[in-house]
Amino acid sequence: MLDILRRIVQEVNNAADIPSALDLMAKRVRDAMGTEVCSIYLLNEEEQRYVLMASEGLKREAVGHVSLGLSEGLVGQVGQREEPINLEDAFSHPKFHYLAETGEDPFHAFLGVPVMHHGQVLGIMVVQQRDVRRFDQSEEAFLVTISAQLSAVIAHAHASGALFAQMDASADLPSFYDGLSGSPGAAIGHGVLLFPAADLASVPDRPITDISAEIALLDDALMRVRQEVRDLAERAAKSLGTEEQALFDVYLRMLDRHALPAEVIAHIRDGQWVQGALRMVVDAHVRNFEMMDDPYLRERAADVKDLGRRLLAHLQSQNRRHIVFPEDCILLGEDISAPMLMEVPRERVRGIVTTRGSRNSHMAIVARAMGIPTVVGVQNLPLKQMDDKEIIVDGFRGRVVANASAELKHQFEEIIAEEASLQAGLEKLRDEPAETADGTRIQLQVNTGLMTDINRSLERGAEGVGLYRTEIPFMVRDRFPSEEEQRVIYREQLSAFAPHPVTMRTLDVGGDKSLTYFPIEEENPFLGWRGIRVTLDHPEIFMVQIRAMLKASEGLDNLRIMLPMVTSVFEAEEAQHLIHRAWLEVRDEGLEVAMPPVGVMIEVPASVYQARALAQRVDFLSVGTNDLTQYLLAVDRNNRQVADLYNSYHPAVLHALLHVVEQAHEEGKTVSVCGEMAGEPGSALLLMAMGYNVLSMNASNLLKVKAAVRQVKVSFIRKLLNEVLAMDNGEVIASYVDLQLEKAGLSDLLRHRKNI
Ligand code: PEP
Ligand code: MG
């Protein structure tokens, strides 16, 4: 049975389109179960009816026309009860509803199972048979299993709305596609598919004899692509900082004659023409990268593909496609590399959507730094159909909408306009203190990574950096940056914000963040070799980084060093010991540098319960609520499947946060929050009420949080905190906080949280 099941799922997944997938599904299930009928009814949400979308055994004409209300007939019963109904004679059931158009008169035995996806009934699968008999347990189990396996296909059909639109050509229903937020913000614009100018996959093998002619063609293409990358880098320098140029250096190094080209030449020497040789090399690298478990390394496949396409485009120069970019581009692609993004004039890019990719892809990092609303990993999005279509990008929720109704579009237009006017209105708060209406002050700092973040942060009046993610400058390179390279990068951060403090986190790789040149392959990376664990095992990497930080701080003295993913006091002590050693070394070199404050991040449950012991040993604590929420709730922060369960208002998270601040203060140490919670007005106010000294967030949220702080009184947020601490449901807490803030006149600041 398992084999049959696997075959059906495979076949259905390979079907050309959704209607054929459903037809195939009905046919294969009927054959596998030896029944006379298999039908699939799908929920049409708009009409609130189950529509017969495919059937083997019922009349063909009925498909797409016959439907049942939500409580109508046995199909409605299955939907309401959300469990199988297995009857030896459907005719004798009081709920049986005869549908003349289907020709179902002769079928007595009935088995219907709901098709469930994320707790929602999407439709019903039914098998029927002439005989009066009950389907046995194994048959029931088979149908339940297949319906669960195929629910993803049906979810796609359901989400795209394409099926129902077919039934009524005039019905152009909105389609919603869910992915992950890559960069917050909303945008409306026209899709521009950045499809490859040249298609490597279609290049055939071709034998050649004139080897040097082929090598000359390659050299010419290489020269042109190198120039293209340099031009892009120059253009990027205007919108990004100089340090981000490293991204382009990686490209140039891949084009170095000893790197990819050397492999291509080897194939040419074996008698393959240049285009075929290029395809072979790119394919091999892409396959290698794509097989890696590590999502970051998988991303690098996109870079190699991009370079391959660029080279091929020059080799086939007559085929170059010139894309016309409208004023309101929503860039679309399977993967969009950072250089591809740079190719489009910034003022034309409203949003970005990719079907693959993750929050940590280069492109997403750059998009966040540039403030472009972005949704990544929208697996179900039919890219080709989106080209030139009007699309809404909801980077707050990680959702894409096509065929939006006039009303929905209007709602988004309002959100975009309100966001813009909100930001414009908030600018006047730039130099105002972050203090409540009754005078309690909190420090608001920013999280940075790229140089580009510096200007955006200063424009918003940040009081320093609460988290500088040093892994980002490491990620945009193809080798470890040297001590001197690091010193230069760090110096730029430190001097831009001086005299405000800059909290530099030591290299935090592992989990979903890794370096191409330092691969970490693990079954379960989030529970593996991450953060401080990696750097304590590699003191040579750690020491270079610390020395670079210390040297960069010379004469500024605004450096703070922070350790990620600490789970025990031993790790903190060990790291402190190394930092002290590095400090002595730097002083021995004759530099007058003060020993910086050292702190630890509280990101795992173990450190919550060690908070006091840790606070005794270090100068400050900072809570990374992104990871803390993930580890407390056992919910992968990047997994769309469980995204609904990832809730930082969960009582366990709130109580842990309260415990940490109390413990730190018992030891007289300051404590901050640098996860996303700090940048969301509702949770930021709760954190302030708990007593957190500093909130550090993405620059785009800083003025919103400041506005929220300035509009409330401490008595109000303390009362709110006490109320939510007594609640036991995270969803209820989130809604309650929103409600109370709306009542307090803060609805403008919460708008993006609302479901549309
Ligand atoms: C966190 O985990 O909350 C945090 C700030 O670190 P990162 O998001 O970089 O893992
Ligand atoms: Mg973290």
Side-chain angles (χ1 to χ4, degrees), residues 467 469 471 505 508 513 530 564-565 601-603 624-628 630-631 637 674-675:
L467 166 64
R469 291 182 163 104
E471 64 275 10
R505 174 169 75 184
D508 184 21
K513 296 180 279 199
R530 274 199 77 177
M565 285 296 296
M601 288 190 77
I602 305 291
E603 301 187 274
T625 49
N626 307 337
D627 275 314
L628 186 60
Q630 145 166 287
Y631 290 118
R637 60 196 258 192
C674 60

Side-chain angles (χ1 to χ4, degrees), residues 353-494:
V353 178
T354 62
T355 51
R356 299 167 63 149
S358 71
R359 278 183 56 77
N360 285 320
S361 64
H362 286 163
M363 183 280 292
I365 293 169
V366 172
R368 279 199 290 280
M370 293 168 82
I372 306 173
T374 299
V375 182
V376 294
V378 196
Q379 287 164 359
N380 289 337
L381 190 75
L383 275 177
K384 287 195 188 108
Q385 290 165 33
M386 295 292 133
D387 197 26
D388 210 25
K389 260 209 164 183
E390 191 172 71
I391 297 169
I392 297 175
V393 179
D394 180 352
F396 294 121
R397 293 184 71 185
R399 174 174 265 200
V400 177
V401 190
N403 288 336
S405 60
E407 193 196 346
L408 190 61
K409 185 177 166 194
H410 182 64
Q411 282 185 36
F412 271 98
E413 282 165 348
E414 280 191 346
I415 291 177
I416 294 166
E418 279 161 8
E419 272 293 309
S421 79
L422 182 66
Q423 288 297 347
L426 291 175
E427 270 158 28
K428 64 178 187 301
L429 296 182
R430 182 189 177 285
D431 298 317
E432 299 295 327
E435 67 183 21
T436 56
D438 48 358
T440 300
R441 184 88 163 76
I442 187 156
Q443 241 183 314
L444 300 187
Q445 299 185 341
V446 277
N447 296 347
T448 60
L450 292 170
M451 289 300 165
T452 326
D453 293 323
I454 295 179
N455 284 344
R456 297 177 71 233
S457 308
L458 293 173
E459 277 164 16
R460 289 167 174 81
E463 300 170 273
V465 176
L467 166 64
Y468 170 52
R469 291 182 163 104
T470 60
E471 64 275 10
I472 293 179
F474 279 66
M475 280 159 77
V476 298
R477 286 182 162 70
D478 61 356
R479 57 172 175 75
F480 280 109
S482 67
E483 184 175 313
E484 177 55 14
E485 281 171 323
Q486 290 186 53
R487 187 194 66 78
V488 171
I489 302 168
Y490 302 156
R491 179 82 186 173
E492 247 182 288
Q493 289 275 335
L494 290 163

